[in-house]
Amino acid sequence: MRRRITYIQPQHVSFHPSQTTLTPNSLAISNLVASREERVTLGFDELTGERLLLGRVELSLIYHGGKQIWQVLKQCHQVHVRWARSEQYDAVSPYSSRVSPGLHVFYSPIPSYGDSAGLDREALCKLLKKVFEPELGCESPEKSFITPPILSTRFASTAAYQFYELLPSLKNLVTYIQQKHCEREDEECYRHVELISSADSIDINYDSISHSLTMSGYWSKAPGGADGWTEVIRKHKGATGQVEVGLLGAEPANDPEEIKMGGLLAVVGEDTELKPTLFSFPSRHHPLPEDTVYSVSFSPPTGLHPTMTISMSREALKEPSGRPDAACALHAYLTLPSSVFGDKYQLSTSDELFLKSHNLVSLRAVAGETDLEAPDWFVPRWGSNWLLELASPSGSDQSLKDWNVTIPLHLRYLNPSESGYRSVSVPWPAVFWACTAEDGTKMAMNPFDRVNLGWEGLFGPKSMFYQLHPSPNSEDALLVEELEVPVLTLKEADGLFQSRVIELGTVAVLGLGFLWVLWKLGLVARSSGIRSQQRGTDKRAKAE
Amino acid sequence: MARVSGSFFRSPSLVYGTAIGLRVILLFYGAWQDANSPVKYTDIDYMVFTDASRYVSRGDSPYARDTYRYTPLLAWMLLPTTWAIPGLFSFGKALFALSDVVAGWLVAKSLILTHRMSPERALKYASFWLLNPMVANISTRGSSEGLLGVLVIALLWAVLNRNITLAGVLLGLGVHFKIYPFIYGASIIWWLDDTRTSARTSSPETRAAEPKSRSSNTTTPVAGQILAFITPCRIRLTLVSLLTFAALNAGMYLRYGTPFLQHTYFHHLTRIDHRHNFSPYSTLLYLSAAVEGTEGASRGFESLAFVPQMLLSVVLIPLVLAKKDLPGSMLAQTFAFVTFNKVCTSQYFLWYLIFLPFYLPTSSLLQKPRLGLLVALLWVVGQVFIPSSSFLAGLLLISLPPSSLSSF
């Protein structure tokens, strides 16, 4: 097992050597104001259950709950989990990429497992439920996951199956790891794992080529607040696997496609002092200035056809300053729960007037549940993803107001409720500039590279991304919009709105209507029979 | 004023010219609005039809287009909309609008037959359809209901002219197109008795009330009655319509397979959507669908919905009314069918509107203009407000009263 902890200090914060103390067994950090990433990598041997003695590291859960996890992983060609918190956080370079708040799972099975009889199709979902949330709407990849783009106009390289659910808290993950990994008395272990609950984003990756499982967490700031990080990072007991620590800051890069980092590095237990470093690498994800922000809202009344508005600051509309010959386009990647959907025929139109009125350019990709009529209870999968290219103002449009893009959406019918309303949570989309890059192949060599975010796979490998910063207006800083959906009011306890009353009412109305028509027909039949009254007239008419 | 309108209706070319002019103006206006506003004049359904035509033009199935729930004939008919000639995209709308006008012309011709009207008076009543802005609007926006209108009224016209083979073909085609015209089969067959089809004059009809006619029935042998019922005309109509229907379906099935059956027919029998639904069943359907979706158990009550619907529109109304007044019976049948249907959307009203000119000459709605205006107003209010307040408990109460129109 390897561990890598990276602190990224903002430029305006000063660093004093006394904030670190390196001993032969540990590195102590005190009051370091920084963003932090911790990455743990488990190799094949560790995954398959070979027991090793470890220090306090989250993923030794592999050894305890190892059997189950390996049983699932060995069916996977690749599985990637991405989770982001619902509250706004700063994503600093080189961790500037984002996904919509919630739990995203990307999964491809090993083809040979496809038709083997012993395959437990529900194993992955069982594990996800155990680890993340027992109530997860996950039954099996075939039933609950969506399959990527059905209308991709671009080269696509995404996992075969995709799952999403808005998961506001990682409490269950923390408890799971604590129970599986920490010794009963090990308070320090409990506290360290508890740190996960304050993470801003979590990534888990496994693929069958490297046979290694990595888990990383990102914290934009220390959970304590302004005091920064204070912790002791120890080497692993028995020297099993490296523990690497970096204290870094971004430097101006020479090449617009590169990111340059400078600072100090140390391998705990090996190095006797922190070594200065300066290195640069081509990067897929690049940061944008702080004032390039967007916010998302639904203009009231939302009704059954809500319109999502993405407001962007003027600064966000300037093409990122990369290469002069790079072509850039603004995009939004929507993750919609099954209760909300877009009309792919409406959105894929080439009608300039419609697109212009919404400041859209075109629908680039759509995946998932796009049935236009099905009520929510007939939709088995979690929802849908939409990649839309957005318009930016033309050169002549120099107004200083925010730029609004609107996306017409529709709601499915939901189950009746007591109040007559049901609430639906829609995560904010990821909004970003995508630009062509000179050389995409080297980007994977970036030690901080991040792929499998859902949207980045819809672009070719020679692409660079500049994400806008979400900037919520509300005080709770949530990147999730709540919609109130009108549904049938149904109070089973008492009153007018019981299902029994509706049934009887319908029967009564229809019955009375039916009887009334019968009565009227009876009157006609009684007064004049059922035979013709105008035989002669008809003949005459024919003669005419 | 009266004299002006009088001379207006005396000139068929003026009336038809106005009807065509109205539609041409709307077609051009629609093209202008589509080109200049993000809010389109063209109906969403028209996009579905033309998308389906595009699939057909590429050799694919029209059912490759989601929500295409019509016969492939429609997509074939609209193939010219896929040709790369400017303006031809509106071909279908022009076709639907033309169908409208032809339907209006047939209404006028039929009125002369059924109501012994002068051509001028017939044209006046046909103008409820011909010059109705709502009708012109719907077809120029690209809704295919105008095609149904012309099929159904041509069926009536063919029957009135004793052109049984044509009537059979039209009936088969109409049912293939939209299922519901099968209800007219019942009234037409009942109406087509010996007295209509044979030259000899039978003994004067007894105007006696039902009990008396029933008692006279019991004296006649049942077998004889059945034999008397089976006339060559009735057999011909039945066979021709069934053959047309079967041939069309067999052809379409061979070409497009199960998706054709699924989308053209089964969808309408099993559909569960309660969106934009004016039916009195809508709340119940929503409720039972939601319960079924979550608990997996159906209450089953709504599956009996077809009983009152079929009893009225296929058996009782034809039986009582068809021989007295065939178009009136067809109007009442359509109304009962739509009213007691589990799903009812706004465009269904065109189905019975085509028969309104046959009913209005004797209607209290025209004799008492105030009542007529009130009913028209209530109907418009219902059209406007029901979709936006689908969850009102009162929906149950508003949905049914339109059937008051259907009872004479």
Side-chain angles (χ1 to χ4, degrees):
Chain A
M1 146 147 41
R2 281 179 293 125
R3 243 178 118 198
R4 188 185 80 185
I5 299 170
T6 314
Y7 298 93
I8 307 290
Q9 282 211 290
Q11 271 169 341
H12 59 86
V13 174
S14 57
F15 170 74
H16 193 269
S18 68
Q19 286 177 282
T20 58
T21 320
L22 186 64
T23 70
N25 287 322
S26 69
L27 171 66
I29 305 281
S30 65
N31 299 103
L32 187 73
V33 174
S35 305
R36 176 183 185 271
E37 189 217 36
E38 177 165 357
R39 177 177 299 194
V40 176
T41 308
L42 290 159
F44 179 70
D45 293 347
E46 295 158 302
L47 279 175
T48 49
E50 192 179 319
R51 268 179 173 274
L52 294 168
L53 279 175
L54 287 165
R56 41 157 177 49
V57 175
E58 297 83 348
L59 281 174
S60 66
L61 67 100
I62 299 303
Y63 311 97
H64 298 277
K67 263 263 155 62
Q68 190 192 358
I69 291 180
W70 178 242
Q71 285 305 317
V72 175
L73 289 184
K74 72 178 184 185
Q75 301 176 4
C76 300
H77 172 58
Q78 54 172 336
V79 60
H80 306 280
V81 177
R82 303 284 175 265
W83 177 88
R85 69 166 51 253
S86 301
E87 294 84 19
Q88 140 74 2
Y89 65 90
D90 293 325
V92 303
S93 185
Y95 305 112
S96 56
S97 64
R98 293 171 188 272
V99 293
S100 288
L103 179 74
H104 306 253
V105 181
F106 304 91
Y107 160 73
S108 299
I110 284 184
S112 60
Y113 266 90
D115 36 46
S116 72
L119 175 67
D120 182 0
R121 296 187 184 280
E122 289 162 16
L124 178 64
C125 280
K126 280 183 192 156
L127 182 64
L128 289 171
K129 282 180 172 180
K130 204 166 189 176
V131 174
F132 288 101
E133 167 63 56
E135 299 292 306
L136 221 54
C138 184
E139 211 178 310
S140 72
E142 286 80 9
K143 287 180 190 156
S144 316
F145 284 44
I146 65 169
T147 45
I150 49 182
L151 180 96
S152 178
T153 54
R154 294 184 183 182
F155 171 73
S157 64
T158 44
Y161 293 100
Q162 227 169 311
F163 178 80
Y164 168 80
E165 191 162 310
L166 185 69
L167 184 72
S169 152
L170 291 177
K171 260 204 181 83
N172 205 75
L173 176 68
V174 170
T175 318
Y176 180 81
I177 296 175
Q178 283 172 338
Q179 282 174 355
K180 295 283 177 191
H181 160 62
C182 294
E183 304 286 334
R184 235 167 242 284
E185 308 293 309
D186 193 348
E187 295 261 331
E188 197 180 341
C189 173
Y190 269 78
R191 245 181 292 123
H192 186 194
V193 176
E194 182 64 38
L195 202 54
I196 294 175
S197 63
S198 61
D200 293 317
S201 77
I202 294 282
D203 286 11
I204 300 173
N205 296 296
Y206 170 81
D207 69 80
S208 62
I209 295 161
S210 69
H211 274 309
S212 66
L213 181 77
T214 65
M215 174 169 174
S216 51
Y218 169 79
W219 291 258
S220 60
K221 56 183 191 293
D227 294 341
W229 296 94
T230 301
E231 60 182 325
V232 180
I233 300 157
R234 296 178 210 282
K235 74 166 186 177
H236 292 154
K237 282 176 198 156
T240 54
Q242 215 178 37
V243 178
E244 193 183 8
V245 182
L247 291 86
L248 304 172
E251 304 280 337
N254 308 328
D255 188 303
E257 294 186 6
E258 291 193 336
I259 285 179
K260 196 183 226 175
M261 307 295 297
L264 300 165
L265 291 179
V267 176
V268 180
E270 283 179 26
D271 293 332
T272 49
E273 58 182 29
L274 291 160
K275 292 173 183 162
T277 182
L278 186 66
F279 59 105
S280 58
F281 45 85
S283 178
R284 212 180 298 275
H285 305 287
H286 290 264
L288 282 175
E290 271 176 30
D291 53 1
T292 51
V293 296
Y294 72 101
S295 65
V296 173
S297 61
F298 284 92
S299 32
T302 49
L304 283 172
H305 303 279
T307 299
M308 176 188 276
T309 305
I310 305 175
S311 302
M312 285 165 275
S313 64
R314 280 281 140 176
E315 291 72 19
L317 301 167
K318 289 188 206 111
E319 278 197 22
S321 50
R323 289 182 182 283
D325 57 342
C328 293
L330 191 59
H331 288 83
Y333 184 70
L334 276 65
T335 303
L336 301 177
S338 63
S339 45
V340 187
F341 66 100
D343 177 343
K344 65 179 178 214
Y345 295 102
Q346 182 186 21
L347 291 173
S348 63
T349 178
S350 54
D351 180 59
E352 288 298 325
L353 290 161
F354 171 84
L355 293 170
K356 206 168 172 230
S357 71
H358 290 283
N359 284 333
L360 294 172
V361 173
S362 83
L363 176 64
R364 292 295 181 196
V366 53
E369 295 289 3
T370 56
D371 190 295
L372 302 172
E373 292 163 332
D376 198 42
W377 52 85
F378 279 105
V379 179
R381 289 162 232 280
W382 60 266
S384 54
N385 282 126
W386 303 75
L387 178 68
L388 289 152
E389 187 177 335
L390 314 181
S392 49
S394 58
S396 57
D397 186 357
Q398 294 294 335
S399 78
L400 292 170
K401 275 190 293 182
D402 281 357
W403 177 254
N404 286 340
V405 169
T406 48
I407 303 165
L409 299 173
H410 311 274
L411 286 168
R412 295 189 190 286
Y413 275 28
L414 303 179
N415 278 310
S417 82
E418 286 230 337
S419 64
Y421 287 93
R422 265 178 197 277
S423 119
V424 166
S425 302
V426 182
W428 282 27
V431 180
F432 54 91
W433 284 93
C435 299
T436 54
E438 185 91 317
D439 190 354
T441 52
K442 287 184 191 150
M443 284 172 180
M445 291 157 74
N446 169 359
F448 308 102
D449 191 28
R450 195 176 180 218
V451 288
N452 290 299
L453 305 171
W455 47 268
E456 109 292 338
L458 302 172
F459 297 83
K462 286 185 171 189
S463 304
M464 293 198 301
F465 305 104
Y466 301 80
Q467 271 187 287
L468 275 58
H469 306 288
S471 163
N473 302 319
S474 58
E475 275 178 28
D476 52 16
L478 278 180
L479 306 182
V480 176
E481 293 302 307
E482 296 282 329
L483 289 175
E484 288 286 287
V485 183
V487 297
L488 176 67
T489 312
L490 199 61
K491 292 182 177 139
E492 286 305 350
D494 61 313
L496 192 58
F497 298 104
Q498 296 174 56
S499 48
R500 199 88 215 131
V501 175
I502 290 170
E503 272 177 21
L504 291 176
T506 307
V507 173
V509 167
L510 287 161
L512 286 174
F514 179 66
L515 288 176
W516 184 59
V517 179
L518 272 191
W519 180 56
K520 288 279 186 183
L521 281 175
L523 284 183
V524 174
R526 224 182 121 84
S527 64
S528 55
I530 58 172
R531 298 279 159 183
S532 165
Q533 293 171 306
Q534 35 176 317
R535 171 182 334 279
T537 63
D538 219 53
K539 285 270 154 57
R540 243 175 291 149
K542 200 183 165 191
E544 276 175 17
Chain B
M1 186 68 197
R3 209 186 293 158
V4 172
S5 74
S7 63
F8 178 80
F9 289 110
R10 211 165 295 141
S11 155
S13 53
L14 209 54
V15 174
Y16 292 114
T18 313
I20 292 169
L22 173 66
R23 284 158 177 83
V24 169
I25 291 170
L26 284 175
L27 277 175
F28 276 99
Y29 168 77
W32 177 85
Q33 184 178 324
D34 282 358
N36 289 284
S37 163
V39 182
K40 303 302 175 195
Y41 179 82
T42 302
D43 194 77
I44 264 300
D45 285 346
Y46 192 68
M47 309 313 286
V48 177
F49 306 154
T50 49
D51 281 355
S53 291
R54 210 163 303 127
Y55 280 113
V56 170
S57 71
R58 290 186 214 130
D60 293 332
S61 160
Y63 303 104
R65 173 60 160 89
D66 286 359
T67 72
Y68 184 78
R69 305 263 159 68
Y70 314 87
T71 162
L73 285 179
L74 184 61
W76 295 356
M77 245 184 263
L78 299 193
L79 272 176
T81 60
T82 63
W83 300 344
I85 301 171
L88 262 198
F89 180 70
S90 297
F91 171 80
K93 300 182 198 173
L95 183 71
F96 301 151
L98 184 70
S99 312
D100 265 5
V101 179
V102 175
W105 176 67
L106 289 171
V107 167
K109 295 200 69 135
S110 304
L111 275 170
I112 296 171
L113 291 177
T114 57
H115 288 68
R116 289 167 297 137
M117 281 184 184
S118 65
E120 180 192 338
R121 205 165 124 79
L123 210 50
K124 213 181 237 173
Y125 282 104
S127 296
F128 274 101
W129 174 270
L130 277 172
L131 303 181
N132 191 324
M134 214 118 124
V135 176
N137 174 257
I138 283 173
S139 56
T140 52
R141 287 188 62 201
S143 168
S144 66
E145 304 299 333
L147 278 181
L148 253 296
V150 78
L151 278 181
V152 165
I153 208 70
L155 168 67
L156 174 66
W157 178 80
V159 171
L160 292 175
N161 285 291
R162 312 298 188 275
N163 193 336
I164 302 303
T165 312
L166 178 63
V169 169
L170 288 169
L171 183 59
L173 183 62
V175 179
H176 169 76
F177 236 89
K178 216 129 210 181
I179 308 179
Y180 87 94
F182 80 91
I183 58 175
Y184 305 133
S187 48
I188 291 169
I189 284 184
W190 184 235
W191 181 85
L192 274 178
D193 53 22
D194 265 352
T195 55
R196 316 268 182 197
T197 52
S198 63
R200 72 186 160 81
T201 24
S202 54
S203 60
E205 188 63 38
T206 150
R207 291 272 179 90
E210 209 170 354
K212 197 177 167 190
S213 68
R214 201 177 283 158
S215 67
S216 70
N217 284 350
T218 50
T219 59
T220 332
V222 179
Q225 269 193 23
I226 293 173
L227 277 178
F229 182 78
I230 302 172
T231 62
C233 273
R234 284 172 169 155
I235 294 171
R236 183 138 50 104
L237 181 78
T238 312
L239 285 183
V240 172
S241 59
L242 282 179
L243 267 177
T244 312
F245 180 66
L248 283 170
N249 287 341
M252 298 304 166
Y253 180 72
L254 286 177
R255 180 78 182 76
Y256 296 113
T258 326
F260 156 68
L261 292 179
Q262 173 57 39
H263 293 290
T264 315
Y265 298 119
F266 300 155
H267 167 77
H268 297 284
L269 304 178
T270 57
R271 69 190 284 186
I272 31 139
D273 57 315
H274 37 265
R275 274 169 182 272
H276 310 133
N277 190 348
F278 291 58
S279 163
Y281 288 100
S282 62
T283 314
L284 183 69
L285 281 182
Y286 173 28
L287 183 68
S288 61
V291 169
E292 201 175 325
T294 49
E295 292 170 15
S298 170
R299 293 171 187 229
F301 161 73
E302 68 282 356
S303 58
L304 293 175
F306 72 93
V307 173
Q309 183 188 23
M310 291 303 146
L311 207 57
L312 283 180
S313 61
V314 181
V315 181
L316 296 173
I317 292 175
L319 191 69
V320 176
L321 300 177
K323 292 201 181 192
K324 294 190 214 312
D325 178 358
L326 183 58
S329 168
M330 288 164 87
L331 169 66
Q333 283 176 283
T334 320
F335 219 118
F337 185 88
V338 169
T339 307
F340 288 91
N341 200 20
K342 286 200 286 188
V343 178
C344 171
T345 60
S346 192
Q347 49 190 323
Y348 288 19
F349 81 90
L350 275 192
W351 295 359
Y352 54 77
L353 204 67
I354 185 83
F355 292 115
L356 213 52
F358 297 90
Y359 167 62
L360 286 175
T362 52
S363 164
S364 55
L365 298 180
L366 279 193
Q367 282 150 21
K368 299 178 198 159
R370 275 197 191 166
L371 179 67
L373 276 177
L374 180 69
V375 170
L377 194 72
L378 283 176
W379 182 81
V380 169
V381 167
Q383 288 280 334
V384 171
F385 284 101
I386 290 178
S388 60
S389 60
S390 317
F391 295 108
L392 281 180
L395 179 58
L396 287 174
L397 306 173
I398 336 172
S399 309
L400 207 65
S403 67
S404 60
L405 268 175
S406 73
S407 70
F408 288 10

